[in-house]
C-alpha cells in the first residue's frame, strides 16, 4: 500500500481469479470481498461438487386444447424431494404412508408406470416428482398412454353421422390405452433415457436412503430436483388470449404457448401446376398416411408401427409405381400424401380439407376419385426364415358403412375393394374386407368424409382393435416390428442389410402399388411392379435407428445437413416448422420419384431463370450427393420432382376460433428451462443451524467492519520517523 499519499487500490489472487479491489477497501473488508468474489469465480466447480446433473432425460410437458390442459409441470423454482426407488407396488407404502421424510422424488420402474399407480401418486401431497426408468424388455402386457378411442369427436362419426359408431361404441380401437398422456399432473415427471444415469441414482439411494429395519435413514439423504415450469395454463383459449394481449400492449411480448404446427408432404404421379386450380374434370386417386407419433414424454415418439411402417410402405409404393413403363399413359393421376399432426385430432388432414374447400390448394374435393389410406400395415410374413418357412399375412380393408348406403358410392367402393383384393392374388399378403357393420378406425380419411362422400378404404393389420400393444408410447420401437440385425455389422453394413421386416413391408407396398396402377386405369400386366426391399430397409434404418447415415446425407440439401443428428429419430410434431421427419420424408420422396437433371447449382437454385424449367410444375433441389470414392468431397446434383409442402396448422388458428369443436385446438406451453439433478440434502435442523450461524457471522462481521472502519486512522496509523523528533 502507499504511505502518505492516501490508500490506493489492491490486487489479490484467489485460486485462478485476479481480483481488483477498490481504494476505499480496508484490509478486513478487502479480505471479505476477495473471499466473496472467489466464491463466484469457483462457483461452477463448487456446483459440480454438490450436484450431479442428469443430461439424458425427457420431460412430460404441458399441452392445452379448447377446454383443458394435460401434461405436467414443476413449480417455478423446481421441485425437490428425497429419492425413493419403487420397483414393486409394495414399495409405494413407504412413499404414501410410512416414510418420515416427505415429499419424495420417486424413481419408478418402467413396468409400474401405469394408470393404477399414477392415480395413487396423483392423489397425495407426499410426492414432489417422478423419474421413470425405461423398462427392458418392453412391458409384455403392453403399454399405451393414449386414449382407448383416439381422436374421439374429431372424426366423421357423431350424433349426426353414424351415431351408433360415435365414441367407439362399436369398436374400442386401443383397449390397452390408459389415457395417461391426456391427464394433468401437478408435479414434474421425467423419463430417464440413459441406463447409466438410472444406476447412478440407484447407487445414491443405496448409499444414503435405504430404510433400516423399517425406520427412516439418517441424514444426509440423496435428493433429486426437477425443473420443468410451464408458462401456459388452463386452456388454449386462455393462453392464446394472453398471447394476443401481450402482442398488442407489451413492448417486449412474451408468448406463453404455441399452436402445434408443421407441414404436410405431397406429390403427384403426373406433374400439375401448383399455383393454379386443377381442372374439375380431372380425377385423382389419393393415397395417404400419417408421419407423426406421440408418447407421454416430450419428443419421445419412435412410432415404429403406428407411423413409420406405414409411411415407409407408402414411399416404397410410390417408387414402384413411378418405375412402371407405361405410367405416363394412366388415365387418372395419383396424389401421394403424408399428413403431419394427425395424432392431435387430425391437424394435417383437416387443414388440407379446409384448403381444398377454400380454393387454397390446387385440388378440390371434387377431384378425388377415391381414397386409399395406409394405417398400421405391419405384417410380419417371414417367420422361421432359417427353415425357409413363409407364412402369409392378412391386411384388412376398412370402409365406411354409412356412406356406402349411398347408391352412388357403394358400387365405387365395391370396385375399389375388388381391385385391391385382386392385386394381392399370388402375393404373400391377403387383403380381406372387414364386416360391413364395422366403422372406420381412427384415420385421416374420416376428415375427408366429413366434407364429402368419397369412396375410400383404410388398410390396416387389425380387423378390430389395434394389434399394436405400444400405440403412442416410448416402446413403439424397432423391436416392436421385429427389426433384427446380425451382430458385428458396421453402420454402413447395417444400412444395407435387408431385414425380414423390410421384406414384409415390400410385399405390402407391392400390392398397394399394383392396386393403384389398376385404379388409375392401367391395363397391362402388373407383375413388373415390385417394391424394392433394399430401399425399404434403408428407410427403416434411417427413420428408426440412425438419421445420420450415408444415404440420408446424400439426398438432402447442404444447408439441411444439421438435421441429421446422431440421436434416435423421433416423430413428434411439436411446434417446429418443419421438424426433421418432414424434411426427410420430403427428400426421400423426391429421391425415389424424382429425376436427376443436368443443371448447374445456380440454375437449380433459380429455376425461374432457367428456360424450360417449368417452375410451376416441378420443384428443384440441389442435394449433397454421395462422397467421391477418391476424396472426402461430395458430388452434388439437381433433383426435379413434384414433391411439395403444404401447411399443417389447424384451421382453428387461421380463423382465431380457439375454442373450436370442429378443428384441432392443441397448443404446447413454453418454458424457460428443463433440467434434472441429484445431490445430498441435510436435515432441516442442520439447515436451520447453518442459517442461524451464517446470519450471526454476517452480523458480527458487519459490526466488526463498522468498528474497524471507524477506528481505521488509529488502528492503521503510520509510525512517525524517529529522526524527525525534536527536543
Amino acid at each position: 500500500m502507499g504511505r502518505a499519499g492516501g490508500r490506493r487500490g489492491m490486487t489479490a489472487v484467489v485460486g485462478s481469479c485476479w481480483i481488483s479491489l477498490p481504494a476505499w477497501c480496508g484490509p478486513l473488508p478487502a479480505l471479505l470481498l476477495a473471499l466473496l468474489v472467489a466464491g463466484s469465480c469457483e462457483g461452477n466447480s463448487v456446483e459440480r461438487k454438490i450436484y450431479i446433473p442428469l443430461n439424458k432425460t425427457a420431460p412430460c410437458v404441458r399441452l392445452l386444447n379448447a377446454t383443458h390442459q394435460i401434461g405436467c409441470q414443476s413449480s417455478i423454482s423446481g421441485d425437490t424431494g428425497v429419492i425413493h426407488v419403487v420397483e414393486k407396488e409394495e414399495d409405494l407404502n413407504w412413499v404414501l404412508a410410512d416414510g418420515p421424510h416427505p415429499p419424495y422424488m420417486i424413481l419408478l420402474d418402467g413396468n409400474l408406470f401405469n394408470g393404477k399407480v399414477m392415480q395413487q401418486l396423483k392423489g397425495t401431497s407426499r410426492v414432489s416428482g417422478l423419474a421413470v426408468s425405461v423398462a427392458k424388455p418392453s412391458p409384455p402386457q403392453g403399454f399405451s398412454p393414449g386414449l382407448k378411442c383416439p381422436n374421439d369427436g374429431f372424426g366423421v362419426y357423431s350424433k349426426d353421422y353414424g351415431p351408433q359408431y360415435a365414441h367407439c361404441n362399436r369398436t374400442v380401437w386401443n383397449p390397452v390405452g390408459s389415457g395417461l398422456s391426456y391427464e394433468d399432473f401437478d408435479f414434474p415427471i421425467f423419463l430417464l433415457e440413459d441406463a447409466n444415469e438410472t444406476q447412478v441414482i440407484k447407487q445414491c439411494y443405496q448409499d444414503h436412503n435405504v430404510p433400516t429395519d423399517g425406520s427412516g435413514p439418517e441424514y444426509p439423504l440423496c435428493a433429486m430436483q426437477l425443473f420443468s415450469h410451464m408458462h401456459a395454463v388452463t386452456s388454449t383459449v386462455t393462453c392464446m388470449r394472453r398471447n394476443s394481449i401481450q402482442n398488442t400492449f407489451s413492448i417486449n411480448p412474451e408468448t406463453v404457448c404455441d399452436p402445434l404446427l408443421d407441414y404436410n408432404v405431397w406429390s403427384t404421379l403426373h406433374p400439375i401446376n401448383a399455383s393454379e386450380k386443377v381442372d374439375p374434370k380431372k380425377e385423382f386417386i389419393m393415397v395417404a398416411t400419417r408421419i407423426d407419433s406421440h408418447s407421454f414424454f416430450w419428443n419421445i415418439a419412435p412410432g415404429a408401427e403406428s407411423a413409420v411402417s406405414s409411411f415407409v410402405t407408402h414411399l416404397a409404393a410410390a417408387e414402384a409405381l413411378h418405375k412402371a413403363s407405361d405410367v405416363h399413359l394412366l388415365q387418372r393421376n395419383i396424389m401421394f400424401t403424408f399428413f403431419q399432426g394427425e395424432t392431435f385430432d387430425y391437424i394435417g388432414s383437416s387443414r388440407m380439407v379446409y384448403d381444398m374447400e377454400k380454393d387454397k390448394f390446387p385440388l378440390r374435393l371434387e377431384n378425388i376419385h377415391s381414397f386409399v389410406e395406409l394405417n398400421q400395415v405391419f405384417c410380419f410374413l417371414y417367420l422361421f426364415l432359417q427353415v425357409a418357412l413363409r407364412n402369409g399375412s392378412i391386411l384388412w380393408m376398412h370402409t365406411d358403412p354409412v356412406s356406402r348406403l349411398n347408391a352412388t358410392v357403394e358400387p365405387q367402393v365395391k370396385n375399389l375393394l375388388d381391385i385391391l383384393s385382386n392385386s394381392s392374388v399370388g402375393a404373400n399378403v391377403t387383403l380381406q374386407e372387414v364386416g360391413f357393420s364395422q366403422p372406420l378406425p381412427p384415420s385421416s380419411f374420416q376428415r375427408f368424409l366429413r366434407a364429402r362422400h368419397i369412396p375410400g378404404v383404410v388398410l390396416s393389420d387389425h380387423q378390430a382393435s389395434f394389434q399394436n400393444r405400444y400405440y403412442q408410447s416410448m416402446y413403439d420401437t424397432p423391436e416392436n416390428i421385429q427389426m433384427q440385425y446380425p451382430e458385428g455389422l458396421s453402420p454402413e453394413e447395417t444400412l444395407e442389410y435387408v431385414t425380414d421386416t423390410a421384406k414384409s413391408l415390400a410385399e405390402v407396398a407391392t400390392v398397394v402399388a399394383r392396386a393403384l396402377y389398376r385404379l388409375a386405369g392401367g391395363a397391362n400386366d402388373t407383375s413388373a411392379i415390385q417394391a424394392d426391399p433394399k430401399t425399404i430397409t434403408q428407410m427403416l434404418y434411417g427413420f428408426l435407428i440412425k438419421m445420420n447415415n450415408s444415404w440420408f446425407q446424400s439426398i438432402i440439401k447442404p444447408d439441411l445437413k444439421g438435421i441429421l443428428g446422431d440421436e434416435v429419430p423421433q416423430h413428434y410434431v411439436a411446434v417446429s416448422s418443419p421438424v426433421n421427419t418432414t424434411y426427410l420424408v420430403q427428400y426421400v420422396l423426391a429421391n425415389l420419384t424424382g429425376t436427376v437433371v443436368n443443371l448447374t447449382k445456380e440454375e437449380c437454385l433459380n429455376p425461374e431463370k432457367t428456360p424450360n424449367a417449368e417452375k410451376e410444375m416441378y420443384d428443384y433441389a440441389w442435394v449433397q450427393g454421395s462422397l467421391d470414392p477418391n476424396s472426402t468431397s461430395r458430388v452434388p446434383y439437381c433433383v426435379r420432382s413434384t414433391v411439395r409442402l403444404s401447411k399443417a396448422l389447424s384451421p382453428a388458428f387461421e380463423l382465431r376460433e380457439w375454442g373450436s369443436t370442429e378443428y384441432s385446438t392443441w397448443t404446447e406451453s413454453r418454458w424457460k428451462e428443463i433440467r434434472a439433478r441429484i445431490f445430498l440434502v441435510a436435515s432441516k435442523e442442520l439447515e436451520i443451524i447453518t442459517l442461524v450461524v451464517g446470519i450471526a457471522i454476517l452480523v458480527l462481521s458487519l459490526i466488526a467492519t463498522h468498528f474497524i472502519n471507524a477506528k481505521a486512522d488509529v488502528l492503521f496509523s503510520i509510525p512517525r520517523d524517529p529522526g524527525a523528533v525534536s527536543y
Side-chain angles (χ1 to χ4, degrees):
M1 289 189 296
R3 295 174 66 182
R7 285 171 290 186
R8 300 178 184 172
M10 297 179 293
T11 301
V13 181
V14 183
S16 60
C17 292
W18 287 86
I19 308 167
S20 296
L21 305 178
W24 46 262
C25 276
L28 186 55
L31 178 60
L32 292 173
L33 185 58
L35 293 174
L36 181 63
V37 177
S40 65
C41 291
E42 299 295 330
N44 288 336
S45 60
V46 171
E47 182 176 354
R48 285 196 296 269
K49 291 176 182 178
I50 296 175
Y51 300 104
I52 299 176
L54 304 174
N55 298 316
K56 292 288 290 181
T57 62
C60 160
V61 302
R62 174 164 290 165
L63 296 164
L64 310 100
N65 66 8
T67 56
H68 61 286
Q69 65 186 28
I70 64 173
C72 324
Q73 77 157 356
S74 72
S75 61
I76 194 167
S77 56
D79 289 324
T80 304
V82 173
I83 295 173
H84 190 75
V85 176
V86 175
E87 295 180 327
K88 52 186 184 297
E89 284 198 45
E90 293 75 17
D91 296 336
L92 288 173
N93 295 332
W94 185 265
V95 173
L96 300 176
D98 302 336
H101 307 301
Y104 284 96
M105 277 283 178
I106 298 176
L107 174 56
L108 186 68
D109 184 271
N111 289 295
L112 294 177
F113 186 54
N114 55 51
K116 177 184 175 182
V117 170
M118 292 305 295
Q119 286 303 322
Q120 295 182 66
L121 302 181
K122 191 175 181 180
T124 178
S125 60
R126 291 173 58 89
V127 174
S128 59
L130 200 63
V132 181
S133 62
V134 179
K136 291 185 178 181
S138 301
Q141 71 277 12
F143 173 73
S144 172
L147 298 171
K148 293 183 182 295
C149 189
N151 290 355
D152 186 24
F154 289 86
V156 69
Y157 302 111
S158 65
K159 61 182 179 62
D160 301 318
Y161 188 100
Q164 68 273 30
Y165 306 122
H167 311 301
C168 296
N169 286 335
R170 188 64 59 90
T171 306
V172 177
W173 295 107
N174 186 30
V176 183
S178 63
L180 279 178
S181 289
Y182 296 86
E183 292 193 26
D184 184 37
F185 296 92
D186 59 359
F187 52 80
I189 304 176
F190 280 51
L191 177 68
L192 300 173
E193 299 181 75
D194 189 342
N196 291 329
E197 291 188 343
T198 302
Q199 192 56 43
V200 168
I201 299 172
K202 287 184 177 181
Q203 188 61 52
C204 189
Y205 168 79
Q206 291 289 337
D207 293 342
H208 300 279
N209 293 12
V210 174
T212 55
D213 299 326
S215 60
E218 296 182 358
Y219 285 98
L221 299 175
C222 191
M224 182 184 295
Q225 191 171 30
L226 303 178
F227 297 84
S228 63
H229 181 67
M230 300 287 125
H231 292 180
V233 294
T234 309
S235 67
T236 290
V237 177
T238 301
C239 82
M240 291 302 290
R241 184 174 65 244
R242 290 178 178 175
N243 285 350
S244 181
I245 293 172
Q246 284 276 335
N247 291 330
T248 303
F249 298 106
S250 177
I251 298 175
N252 297 307
E254 183 175 350
T255 302
V256 296
C257 71
D258 300 283
L260 296 185
L261 160 70
D262 209 275
Y263 283 83
N264 299 321
V265 182
W266 64 276
S267 74
T268 53
L269 188 65
H270 302 148
I272 62 172
N273 191 328
S275 61
E276 296 181 358
K277 298 296 175 289
V278 171
D279 186 335
K281 297 180 181 179
K282 290 188 175 182
E283 295 180 331
F284 285 74
I285 313 298
M286 191 167 187
V287 195
T289 191
R290 76 178 202 187
I291 58 177
D292 67 299
S293 186
H294 181 43
S295 81
F296 186 88
F297 299 100
W298 182 76
N299 205 29
I300 300 294
E305 183 174 352
S306 62
V308 177
S309 65
S310 304
F311 73 69
V312 161
T313 304
H314 187 170
L315 288 164
E319 180 193 32
L321 199 56
H322 272 79
K323 289 180 177 179
S325 58
D326 61 337
V327 69
H328 60 286
L329 301 176
L330 295 179
Q331 301 170 6
R332 299 187 182 97
N333 207 340
I334 299 175
M335 180 177 172
F336 305 98
T337 315
F338 301 81
F339 292 120
Q340 263 287 15
E342 295 299 274
T343 302
F344 295 96
D345 299 335
Y346 306 119
I347 293 174
S349 55
S350 62
R351 179 53 185 262
M352 185 168 283
V353 171
Y354 175 83
D355 286 344
M356 287 181 174
E357 291 178 320
K358 301 298 181 183
D359 287 337
K360 296 180 178 181
F361 194 80
L363 272 68
R364 300 177 178 87
L365 291 170
E366 292 80 2
N367 292 116
I368 302 176
H369 171 269
S370 52
F371 198 105
V372 178
E373 180 170 353
L374 306 181
N375 186 346
Q376 295 193 94
V377 295
F378 171 66
C379 300
F380 196 70
L381 308 173
Y382 293 81
L383 302 174
F384 312 111
L385 197 62
Q386 63 272 24
V387 294
L389 177 64
R390 300 176 71 185
N391 293 350
S393 186
I394 297 175
L395 206 59
W396 296 95
M397 300 183 291
H398 300 261
T399 58
D400 171 42
V402 179
S403 61
R404 291 185 67 177
L405 297 175
N406 184 300
T408 304
V409 173
E410 170 61 11
Q412 293 176 297
V413 173
K414 287 294 294 181
N415 179 59
L416 178 58
L417 294 172
D418 289 342
I419 289 175
L420 284 164
S421 296
N422 293 335
S423 298
S424 68
V425 174
N428 286 295
V429 180
T430 303
L431 269 65
Q432 291 190 15
E433 182 181 354
V434 175
F436 185 84
S437 62
Q438 184 168 288
L440 289 168
S443 52
S444 305
F445 181 41
Q446 292 199 31
R447 290 302 304 194
F448 286 80
L449 279 178
R450 282 176 72 124
R452 182 182 177 86
H453 280 177
I454 299 172
V457 62
V458 176
L459 302 178
S460 74
D461 57 12
H462 53 89
Q463 181 180 11
S465 299
F466 296 162
Q467 288 188 358
N468 185 2
R469 295 172 299 154
Y470 305 110
Y471 182 74
Q472 288 187 9
S473 90
M474 57 190 171
Y475 300 113
D476 193 4
T477 58
E479 291 76 18
N480 192 33
I481 57 173
Q482 303 181 40
M483 283 179 61
Q484 297 176 347
Y485 297 94
E487 293 184 3
L489 294 182
S490 67
E492 198 63 28
E493 291 171 334
T494 309
L495 173 66
E496 300 290 334
Y497 181 82
V498 179
T499 62
D500 295 340
T501 302
K503 297 173 185 176
S504 169
L505 295 180
E507 295 274 2
V508 178
T510 297
V511 171
V512 171
R514 292 173 179 177
L516 293 175
Y517 174 83
R518 293 291 186 204
L519 284 169
N524 293 336
D525 180 58
T526 59
S527 59
I529 299 177
Q530 186 75 44
D532 186 358
K534 183 177 179 181
T535 301
I536 293 178
T537 208
Q538 289 178 322
M539 287 191 285
L540 289 173
Y541 180 81
F543 284 113
L544 288 175
I545 297 176
K546 188 177 182 182
M547 290 184 292
N548 195 12
N549 61 74
S550 60
W551 185 46
F552 278 8
Q553 289 168 2
S554 68
I555 64 175
I556 65 167
K557 293 181 177 180
D559 57 346
L560 290 178
K561 62 183 179 181
I563 70 172
L564 300 178
D566 290 325
E567 65 276 4
V568 176
Q570 305 295 340
H571 309 292
Y572 175 58
V573 58
V575 296
S576 302
S577 182
V579 295
N580 297 6
T581 304
T582 304
Y583 277 128
L584 292 174
V585 169
Q586 177 189 4
Y587 286 100
V588 168
L589 182 59
N591 177 267
L592 298 180
T593 63
T595 305
V596 177
V597 291
N598 187 23
L599 295 178
T600 65
K601 180 178 180 180
E602 291 70 23
E603 291 172 333
C604 190
L605 296 177
N606 301 283
E608 65 278 358
K609 300 178 181 179
T610 305
N612 303 319
E614 297 180 291
K615 175 84 168 75
E616 296 79 12
M617 308 292 286
Y618 297 99
D619 179 75
Y620 292 82
W622 184 258
V623 299
Q624 290 196 119
S626 301
L627 285 171
D628 190 322
N630 299 320
S631 70
T632 57
S633 61
R634 295 185 175 274
V635 184
Y637 56 90
C638 186
V639 176
R640 185 185 70 183
S641 71
T642 61
V643 180
R644 310 278 182 173
L645 298 180
S646 65
K647 187 174 288 187
L649 171 67
S650 171
F653 298 101
E654 294 278 320
L655 301 169
R656 297 177 67 84
E657 295 176 358
W658 304 321
S660 173
T661 57
E662 170 71 13
Y663 299 112
S664 170
T665 55
W666 285 105
T667 54
E668 183 182 88
S669 174
R670 287 199 178 185
W671 59 81
K672 277 193 168 62
E673 64 174 346
I674 297 288
R675 59 191 175 101
R677 59 190 185 182
I678 63 173
F679 57 97
L680 294 181
V681 62
S683 66
K684 293 296 182 183
E685 293 79 5
L686 181 58
E687 289 178 346
I688 293 173
I689 292 172
T690 304
L691 176 62
V692 171
V693 171
I695 293 174
I697 292 174
L698 175 63
V699 171
L700 289 173
S701 65
L702 291 175
I703 294 173
T705 302
H706 175 73
F707 172 77
I708 292 171
N709 273 334
K711 304 294 183 179
D713 53 344
V714 176
L715 296 174
F716 304 108
S717 61
I718 300 173
R720 293 182 179 181
D721 185 354
V725 177
S726 58
Y727 297 95

